[in-house]
Amino acid sequence: GSVIVVSYILPLLITRERETASWAIDWNLDSVLARRASAGRAEGKRVLWIGCPGVAVAEADRASLTEALVHYSAVPVFLEPETQKVFYTDFCRAFLWPVFHNVIKAGAYSHSAWRAYCTVNRQFADKVVEVYEPSDLIWAHDYHLLLLPSYTLRHLRTACVGLFLHTPFPSSEIFRTIPVRDELLRGMLNADVLGFHLFEYGRHFLTCCKRQMGLDLTEEQIGGSERHALPADARDKPSGVGGADGDIFLTVRDHERTVVVVISHAGIEPGVLENVEASAFATPSSLLLASPAGGNLSPLTLSPLVPRRGSS
């Protein structure tokens, strides 16, 4: 099956040629997701992208852009301008972003913005359902799409859904100030796998599940043909630590569902760096910085954090 990668904005640079009125499309090299896509293609994996185009597209031009994106295995989601503004500016950036960074802003929440957030997540889920085929893996990204697992599983009961959060996750004391905290937790818990950058963020999420929803937290050893709860003396190990029969993962028991929590630290991947070095855009001066001491060369990158993360 394919991997369906769902992000708010497609990892593509899309412009309209003035003279020919055709679409100029290329991968956004500042996007981590785009770099991983190139690695996936090299390994023979089929990746299907779903997301907004990142540029304003008139309704009359949507069909032509959709056709042009087929070459990139990308499926666009077109949002109404006002809905997109309220969703992104009023809810995601003005409300969720500060809270997830442990900052409480009085009066930042509005019910109309929450409705827009639900509407957009439902539209993304509808697009996933439209292109999904049995055995596909759905991989959603970031705080824009926390409700996507719930809306998707309403139609695809057996689909395998992963959700990776590229932001911090707040402490339970901060998270409990969100008026729709239960809805957000329920949305996330409908994923089969939840990913966080740091163990601290995963621990905050697990604490919220325990304190606010009374769910059971366990560690399980997953590998080979066995999957079982671990004894108490293994509970100090972080998620993803290798064991004798497999890897140890933190899990949340939500009724009959088991949600696996994994920790994936951000770092430099040699394969991705080699692809950049071999690209036509790379020059020795942009990739390497000479050390004044011994003349050794070391990698250097100067890029804004949000574009590098691939999900602004």
Side-chain angles (χ1 to χ4, degrees):
S2 303
V3 179
I4 302 176
V5 181
V6 191
S7 60
Y8 169 48
I9 300 294
L10 290 170
L12 296 167
L13 298 174
I14 303 174
T15 56
R16 194 73 183 268
E17 299 286 354
R18 292 184 178 181
E19 297 180 357
T20 62
S22 61
W23 294 101
I25 305 173
D26 199 0
W27 292 105
N28 183 359
L29 296 181
D30 282 336
S31 170
V32 172
L33 296 181
R35 297 188 187 280
R36 292 303 302 146
S38 62
R41 289 192 299 272
E43 297 168 3
K45 299 176 182 177
R46 182 177 181 271
V47 179
L48 183 64
W49 299 90
I50 294 179
C52 295
V55 294
V57 181
E59 189 169 353
D61 298 327
R62 293 180 177 180
S64 63
L65 178 57
T66 301
E67 183 178 356
L69 289 172
V70 171
H71 176 70
Y72 295 86
S73 298
V75 179
V77 177
F78 298 109
L79 304 176
E80 294 303 319
E82 183 59 27
T83 301
Q84 185 169 9
K85 174 184 176 299
V86 176
F87 156 79
Y88 181 71
T89 305
D90 295 352
F91 194 83
C92 291
R93 296 298 291 185
F95 177 65
L96 269 189
W97 176 269
V99 171
F100 273 42
H101 288 78
N102 291 297
V103 176
I104 300 176
K105 289 188 175 182
Y109 173 83
S110 75
H111 195 63
S112 60
W114 166 246
R115 288 198 303 269
Y117 186 82
C118 295
T119 298
V120 169
N121 274 257
R122 192 178 296 112
Q123 285 185 246
F124 270 80
D126 290 343
K127 189 61 67 174
V128 170
V129 173
E130 181 182 318
V131 303
Y132 177 84
E133 295 182 2
S135 77
D136 283 351
L137 171 66
I138 303 167
W139 187 17
H141 285 269
D142 223 0
Y143 68 106
H144 312 90
L145 302 173
L146 299 182
L147 301 181
L148 180 74
S150 286
Y151 289 133
T152 300
L153 291 186
R154 291 180 183 180
H155 303 280
L156 305 173
R157 301 298 301 174
T158 60
C160 184
V161 182
L163 174 64
F164 193 90
L165 200 62
H166 293 262
T167 64
F169 195 88
S171 66
S172 60
E173 292 80 8
I174 298 294
F175 191 82
R176 69 184 298 181
T177 66
I178 301 177
V180 290
R181 55 189 175 274
D182 287 350
E183 289 86 342
L184 293 177
L185 282 180
R186 283 293 179 195
M188 298 177 70
L189 287 168
N190 273 301
D192 297 280
V193 179
L194 290 171
F196 299 89
H197 274 308
L198 299 178
F199 178 74
E200 176 188 1
Y201 307 156
R203 179 170 56 83
H204 286 169
F205 171 78
L206 294 170
T207 302
C208 289
C209 292
K210 179 66 175 178
R211 293 181 177 177
Q212 299 180 27
M213 308 191 76
L215 300 180
D216 293 329
L217 312 179
T218 62
E219 290 91 3
E220 294 191 10
Q221 193 155 309
I222 303 174
S225 60
E226 295 188 5
R227 176 175 181 158
H228 55 272
L230 291 173
D233 59 4
R235 295 181 181 176
D236 292 333
K237 295 183 179 181
S239 182
V241 171
D245 301 317
D247 287 339
I248 298 170
F249 291 94
L250 300 172
T251 62
V252 184
R253 290 288 299 174
D254 185 11
H255 300 290
E256 298 300 319
R257 288 178 52 83
T258 298
V259 182
V260 177
V261 175
V262 298
I263 309 302
S264 179
H265 302 294
I268 297 177
E269 300 183 48
V272 175
L273 190 60
E274 290 171 1
N275 291 337
V276 175
E277 187 176 5
S279 70
F281 300 97
T283 62
S285 60
S286 65
L287 287 172
L288 301 170
L289 177 67
S291 170
N296 295 325
L297 299 177
S298 57
L300 171 68
T301 176
L302 297 174
S303 297
L305 178 61
V306 171
R308 177 65 57 190
R309 207 181 59 242
S311 52
S312 60

